Amino acid sequence: MSLELFGHPFSSYTWKALIALYESDTPFTFRNIAGNEFPENEAAFLEHWPVGKFPLLVDDGVPVMESSIIVEHVAPALVPDDRDLALEVRTLDRIFDNHVMTPVQAIVAEHLPFITQTPDEARIARARASLDKVYPWLDARLAGRRWAAGENFTLADCAGAPSLFYADWVHPIPEGLTSLKGYRARALARPAVARVVDEARPYRHLFPLGAPDRD
Ligand SMILES: N[C@@H](CCC(=O)N[C@@H](CS)C(=O)NCC(=O)O)C(=O)O
């Protein structure tokens, strides 16, 4: 199979797909759609997926949308065969995307000048309140676990690492939530995750809330 991944090096969902590709040592071509640098990549991307959400995988010309599906497509071993364990992995994958990354994206969107000049403070407050609810839940769920669903690095960690990376930037995880903070630190030390973080460093100036001087 010939694989091309369209995405932005600073995008959390692109990281999710890249982490799976790096974890599984899968050869692929990265097609960067950052800014106006690579117009031919942007045009090819939109031709395959007019909705315009990235990442997008193209496998021998066939588009594969949605980061969770891309992870399973390129690295099936990141979802365990055991049915109960697979459900736990997929549950945590959904929670990181829907209840961590979605409020983070809402907060970021309210600070993007090309989206709005007047941040919707009520929307930001609702997103922060969502993170305040999910952080303690995750802290309890991750207690005693090395990775999100247990001993092995899975699809859930491909989602957990990027979402918590950015969540802690926009709405810091409280010090007392040691399981969650420890999990985030372990995830950032994982070589595949460290690699996507490093590859994105040149783009940190783009972070609309100002990237903190850490990580
Ligand atoms: N459910 C999608 C979400 C992808 C997503 O929201 N990607 C962001 C970048 S991290 C995006 O495409 N933003 C551009 C836009 O919304 O126009 C997935 O898992 O792939």
Side-chain angles (χ1 to χ4, degrees):
M1 62 183 176
S2 132
L3 298 178
E4 294 181 301
L5 186 78
F6 292 83
H8 190 300
F10 200 43
S11 125
S12 57
Y13 284 106
T14 302
W15 283 10
K16 184 172 158 186
L18 284 171
I19 292 165
L21 286 158
Y22 293 155
E23 281 286 334
S24 56
D25 221 1
T26 304
F28 69 101
T29 302
F30 186 64
R31 298 200 54 185
N32 194 338
I33 56 168
N36 301 320
E37 280 177 80
F38 311 97
E40 69 287 2
N41 288 350
E42 171 103 24
F45 161 61
L46 289 174
E47 203 168 304
H48 283 298
W49 187 217
V51 167
K53 294 275 183 191
F54 43 90
L56 174 77
L57 183 80
V58 178
D59 182 348
D60 279 338
V62 179
V64 180
M65 301 81 174
E66 290 295 323
S67 57
S68 300
I69 309 303
I70 295 172
V71 172
E72 289 208 44
H73 189 96
V74 300
L78 290 176
V79 177
D81 290 335
D82 179 85
R83 186 179 148 76
D84 290 342
L85 201 49
L87 286 178
E88 176 70 0
V89 165
R90 292 197 175 98
T91 299
L92 281 156
D93 172 62
R94 295 298 74 231
I95 287 166
F96 283 127
D97 280 10
N98 293 329
H99 304 294
V100 180
M101 206 55 228
T102 296
V104 169
Q105 282 182 319
I107 296 168
V108 169
E110 291 302 326
H111 290 85
L112 286 171
F114 61 86
I115 291 185
T116 179
Q117 299 296 322
T118 48
D120 178 344
E121 295 299 339
R123 184 184 184 208
I124 293 172
R126 280 196 305 276
R128 291 191 184 282
S130 298
L131 291 171
D132 283 336
K133 282 188 252 184
V134 81
Y135 282 170
W137 186 91
L138 281 168
D139 187 66
R141 190 72 161 224
L142 295 172
R145 291 185 183 181
R146 177 160 184 72
W147 297 113
E151 268 314 293
N152 296 321
F153 192 96
T154 65
L155 161 69
D157 303 296
C158 297
S163 60
L164 291 173
F165 177 91
Y166 285 111
D168 194 48
W169 277 16
V170 306
H171 192 72
I173 299 167
E175 287 300 325
L177 301 184
T178 53
S179 298
L180 185 55
K181 285 185 83 72
Y183 170 75
R184 180 181 184 275
R186 264 193 310 286
L188 296 197
R190 180 96 176 175
V193 177
R195 185 170 168 188
V196 296
V197 170
D198 281 343
E199 288 170 348
R201 285 187 197 281
Y203 296 91
R204 283 193 176 196
H205 64 280
L206 295 177
F207 195 66
L209 288 91
D213 193 15
R214 60 183 168 91
D215 297 325

